[in-house]
Amino acid sequence: MMTEKTPLPAQEMFLLKMGEIVLKGLNRKSFEQRLMGNLQRRLHPYGKFRAYSRQSTVYVEPMNDECDLDGAWEGLKQVFGFSGLSRARSCAKDKDAFVETAKSYLNDRLLAAKSFKVESRRSDKSFPMTSIQLSQYVGGLLAEAYPHLAVDVHHPELTVYLEVRDFAGYVHANPEPGAGGLPVGSGGKAVALLSGGLDSPVACYMMAKRGLALDMVHFFSYPYTSMEAKEKVLELARLVSPYTGRCNVYVVPFTKIQEDLRRNCPEPYFTIAMRRYMMRIAQMIAKETDAHALVTGESLGQVASQTMDAMLVTGAVCDLPVFRPVIGMDKEEIVRIARKIGTFETSILPYEDCCTVFTPRHPKTRPVLSEMLEIEEGYDYEAMCREAVLNAEVVRIRPGAM
């Protein structure tokens, strides 16, 4: 809920600048409401905070000394919808109060820096000084108080920011970039196919950044794949959940289907047939959970099942849209994002997933849909998919949960 409260005096708090949702038109309010709900859930483990918004900025204030400000700060960096974040201190809207607050709150930074400048923003136009006048006044007194500091308006080591807003004045320094994107859930819901590799967690991150809420599906082929492989995938879901938010992981038993394919499917087409089963099952789960798209980690040309012809054949079983956010990325780009979101080290653990079971020696890289349909004649894939869905284990993932 967005309320307009006067900040508590002389306390550290956060200023969060909204990102691209400020460009939305008449439906902007729904994006803001989703953002505030996501924000409150992320703050909950770290104590009681008051959060409210005004003029494209969200103010987050601790309500008592027991709040974990450092934990909350790190958590807020992973909330999609914010372009920038600042740790700040509020003060009276008075020129000398800005000076004293800068000295007390930023003293260590001012002592450590070699150059600085002051930059002011004045959204409260009733304040008697212009932004330039306020910057000059505060900057002059800070230069006197810290004589070792050189004034550098082009490339300062430290920038002192002053904001004159409706509720109070605020002092902060060197804001950090936010996660960007759109609030999770604002774009609808999808089901992502999650393997134990590098690509699919990155795909989940990227679609969550565009506002999709996600559930995930993992295909488990015990005893051909180990319990450690399953736990690896669940850990990947936990690692990406600070970005994607809460979700359910459907662990689908896939052994029976793969053994049936090994007996009945021509070896070159095995991987394509397996992927078609996966897409059918994922779509069943999506329709049962009111999700309206599928997400995969496919990258064009990376493996035999990810050629253009192969994706045409595997995607033909779906009537829901299939999003492939890493389709044009090379491995280095995917690895870079995996390191950023913290999934890389887990993804490279040497536990095989079901995609490596019964791998054909010479997989079909240019499959033909009509040939695949002929191969599948007589398959009771509807019943097999339904059985797999009914026997799926549902694991609830919540950000921060152990």
Side-chain angles (χ1 to χ4, degrees):
M1 179 178 295
M2 290 178 273
T3 58
E4 297 180 8
K5 303 268 188 178
T6 301
L8 300 174
Q11 64 167 352
E12 187 173 41
M13 43 87 69
F14 307 140
L15 297 177
L16 313 178
K17 302 302 174 70
M18 293 183 188
E20 63 182 280
I21 66 175
V22 302
L23 303 175
K24 300 299 178 183
L26 297 178
N27 62 346
R28 172 174 166 175
K29 184 176 179 180
S30 65
F31 284 86
E32 291 190 0
Q33 288 174 337
R34 180 73 65 171
L35 178 62
M36 295 301 286
N38 294 346
L39 173 73
Q40 294 285 9
R41 281 190 291 273
R42 185 56 55 87
L43 288 171
H44 180 73
Y46 305 107
K48 294 183 178 180
F49 290 84
R50 178 188 299 135
Y52 52 96
S53 71
R54 186 70 178 271
Q55 296 178 322
S56 303
T57 297
V58 175
Y59 303 76
V60 178
E61 302 164 357
M63 297 183 68
N64 54 52
D65 292 337
E66 297 176 0
C67 292
D68 179 2
L69 287 177
D70 292 336
W73 174 251
E74 292 303 317
L76 291 175
K77 292 179 184 178
Q78 299 168 315
V79 176
F80 290 125
F82 294 112
S83 61
L85 304 87
S86 300
R87 297 180 77 139
R89 180 167 289 174
S90 59
C91 65
K93 291 189 284 186
D94 173 82
K95 61 181 181 180
D96 293 315
F98 277 111
V99 175
E100 294 308 313
T101 302
K103 287 180 181 178
S104 60
Y105 182 55
L106 301 177
N107 181 62
D108 290 344
R109 292 192 183 191
L110 289 164
L111 289 172
K114 295 180 181 179
S115 62
F116 87 113
K117 74 171 181 178
V118 176
E119 188 171 309
S120 302
R121 299 186 179 96
R122 185 180 61 118
S123 59
D124 179 2
K125 301 305 181 184
S126 67
F127 189 73
M129 304 174 75
T130 67
S131 296
I132 293 176
Q133 289 171 337
L134 180 60
S135 294
Q136 291 174 338
Y137 180 81
V138 174
L141 292 179
L142 290 179
E144 292 179 10
Y146 299 89
H148 70 285
L149 280 175
V151 176
D152 185 345
V153 297
H154 298 295
H155 304 288
E157 187 175 333
L158 177 69
T159 300
V160 176
Y161 291 94
L162 312 178
E163 300 201 28
V164 187
R165 294 187 163 269
D166 287 12
F167 308 120
Y170 300 90
V171 176
H172 59 96
N174 294 350
E176 296 191 25
L182 295 171
V184 170
S186 63
K189 182 180 178 182
V191 166
L193 282 70
L194 183 66
S195 71
L198 286 161
D199 307 338
S200 54
V202 170
C204 291
Y205 162 82
M206 293 183 66
M207 293 314 303
K209 188 173 184 177
R210 297 314 305 157
L212 279 187
L214 296 172
D215 280 336
M216 303 174 191
V217 177
H218 175 64
F219 296 92
F220 184 49
S221 294
Y222 186 81
Y224 300 107
T225 56
S226 66
M227 295 302 296
E228 289 82 2
K230 171 185 168 182
E231 288 304 317
K232 170 187 173 179
V233 170
L234 294 177
E235 178 62 15
L236 287 172
R238 295 185 190 101
L239 289 171
V240 80
S241 69
Y243 296 99
T244 62
R246 53 192 178 180
C247 73
N248 294 323
V249 179
Y250 293 80
V251 182
V252 175
F254 206 53
T255 306
K256 184 176 179 180
I257 290 174
Q258 287 193 292
E259 289 179 337
D260 183 74
L261 287 174
R262 183 175 61 169
R263 289 190 296 268
N264 299 305
C265 180
E267 183 182 357
Y269 270 95
F270 178 88
T271 302
I272 302 300
M274 178 186 70
R275 290 288 298 176
R276 283 168 65 86
Y277 268 106
M278 289 179 173
M279 300 298 275
R280 290 187 181 104
I281 291 169
Q283 179 165 265
M284 282 184 178
I285 292 173
K287 291 184 175 181
E288 290 183 359
T289 59
D290 199 30
H292 298 143
L294 302 181
V295 176
T296 76
E298 292 165 299
S299 175
L300 186 62
Q302 188 172 118
V303 294
S305 64
Q306 294 177 18
T307 65
M308 185 166 61
D309 296 299
M311 286 187 283
L312 172 65
V313 174
T314 57
V317 301
C318 299
D319 51 54
L320 292 180
V322 180
F323 297 146
R324 299 176 172 94
V326 302
I327 191 72
M329 291 187 175
D330 62 28
K331 205 55 157 184
E332 289 184 5
E333 293 172 296
I334 294 170
V335 166
R336 183 166 62 249
I337 296 176
R339 290 186 185 278
K340 172 186 173 181
I341 65 177
T343 58
F344 176 79
E345 296 297 335
T346 300
S347 289
I348 63 174
L349 291 175
Y351 301 121
E352 295 183 332
D353 60 28
C354 70
C355 294
T356 61
V357 176
F358 312 138
T359 302
R361 290 168 294 179
H362 303 291
K364 195 80 169 176
T365 59
R366 293 186 176 180
V368 178
L369 181 58
S370 60
E371 294 179 1
M372 190 70 249
L373 293 175
E374 185 178 344
I375 290 169
E376 287 183 341
E377 285 183 4
Y379 282 19
D380 191 2
Y381 50 76
E382 181 74 20
M384 296 188 73
C385 290
R386 179 58 55 192
E387 180 183 356
V389 171
L390 289 174
N391 290 315
E393 175 190 3
V394 183
V395 181
R396 293 161 57 90
I397 302 294
R398 299 295 180 263
M402 299 301 292

